[in-house]
Amino acid sequence: MSKPPPSVIGERILILDADDAETRGLPDLLGRAGLNALMCEDAERICTELDLGAGLAVLTEESLTPSSMKCLVEALGKQALWSDFPLLILFGGIGRTPETHLRMLDLLEPLGNATILQRPVAAMALVSAVRSALRARGRQYQVRDLLEGREKAVRQRDRFLNLLSHELRNPLGVIRSASYVLEKVGGGSLLAREQQASIGRQVSRLSRWLDKSLAMFQVVAGQVRLHRETIDLVSLATKCLRQFAADDTNADHQLALRNDADTLPVEADGQRLEQVIDCLIGYALETSPPGSRVVMELGARDGNAVIRVRDAGKDLSDAERANLLAPADDTELPAEEGPHLGLALAAALTELHGGQMSASSGGPRRGTDMTVQLPLRAMTARPAPAPGPVQTIPKRSKRILVIEDNNDGRESLRLMLQLWGHQVEVAADGSAGVQKALARPPEVGLFDIGLPGLDGYQVAQKLRAALGDTIYLIAMTGYGQPHDRQRALDAGFNVHLVKPLVPENLQEILGNLV
């Protein structure tokens, strides 16, 4: 069965043949009115043509048998959200009471958008009703085209954002690794060391801003899907605070933890909840002057787990605090960048978890208190092991294979790993990396994902199949969405790290390997 041309497909009038003179005459009548009619031998044909596209269907009461009603109801129930397919039903009205007509309407209710015409139907009334239904159906097709256009634009936007993220993270990774190496090898004037520290701070700032911006786009677009599990908030918050404390860019601040509970079990997406905590601490650090103290407090109140982060910035007015947490609407992102974006993201993610976030005064000259409350689980969560201190020296030198197609990134990463005492081999593409790994199996593989030829996923699959669990695989990539992480784990990677790599985090991972 050939598909009708697009110019007429949405205006076709499907007529269910009732094997009578009146129905057989409808195509000719409608044709004289300049309308395109198609006679269908049964309800199954109507349903098939409906899938191809049509303007409306004309039925008679004789054609509405139980089997045809079932077929039509099932087909109409599968319509897209934009579609409300119109039906014209020809009924005889002679000798029937109003009560009978109303009962018939109730029986026809499952068909949805049905208009009843009483027989015998005047040609003018029939053609007018058909044209009116076609105009309404035409509007539906316009809505469909608009929705498809918006969906295409959203897909293009998402592809652009992913590409932008990837292309920004690669040079940021090189800058961070090179800056780390320069800092560790020492030398240079005081001015040079100060500039290296400045580079490190700005790389960290830009990296965090990039993460928050992409996450906020996901929230506004309704793309965030929470993968809930029982999380111990004490362990997670402590881990986040220690990561900030280990970052040299935060050396000018004092970070403190006050904990009133051994464990705080919540039902949450661990990765998203970590973003909330990071945003709270990041805001406090950015608004607190150097040398000041930032305090995170953990506890329970009224059936909720409570996280409170106190900064040492200026005491804001009620209006300023309300503006910080102003929710983004369905079409706009927060107008301000920096700390405001992070707080808007934290508030949105907290709300998705069924919690609340608030801002209050910390008192005169005590800055602002940011508080997140999340429902506590009734059961006791098994606390995750507390993260140990950041390793400064690896426990044992390891054989590491780095596969990275960016020359600067490959070289800076090799130098950083060698400074930690590891034996490092490098490869510029996936095929060369696989050959080196099979010839001399490394203990650790550190692979970029976007490699020429064999990509990082394919490399991981090949080496996992050949070497089993004797190799520890670390993915490093500019793609940091949740599905990117899952894809890496499915391919055989043990860990998924997003560029720019935080040297202390990578050093801790390697140091904890036996």
Side-chain angles (χ1 to χ4, degrees), residues 12 68 127 159 177 356 400 413 489:
R12 296 186 307 156
S68 62
V127 173
R159 283 196 293 267
S177 298
Q356 292 182 332
I400 300 177
L413 187 56
L489 298 179

Side-chain angles (χ1 to χ4, degrees), residues 164-216:
L164 176 65
S165 168
H166 182 267
E167 294 305 311
L168 283 175
R169 291 183 191 280
N170 275 322
L172 282 175
V174 176
I175 295 170
R176 172 170 276 174
S177 298
S179 176
Y180 180 90
V181 170
L182 287 174
E183 176 189 350
K184 295 306 178 183
V185 298
S189 64
L190 175 61
L191 178 61
R193 293 194 296 274
E194 289 175 346
Q195 294 306 302
Q196 290 169 18
S198 177
I199 291 171
R201 287 192 297 271
Q202 295 309 310
V203 168
S204 295
R205 180 186 179 93
L206 183 55
S207 177
R208 288 195 300 270
W209 182 88
L210 183 60
D211 290 338
K212 290 184 289 188
S213 297
L214 292 174
M216 197 67 212

Side-chain angles (χ1 to χ4, degrees), residues 23 35 38 47 177 216 222 283 303 393 480:
T23 306
L35 301 171
L38 174 67
C47 297
S177 298
M216 197 67 212
Y283 172 79
I393 301 176

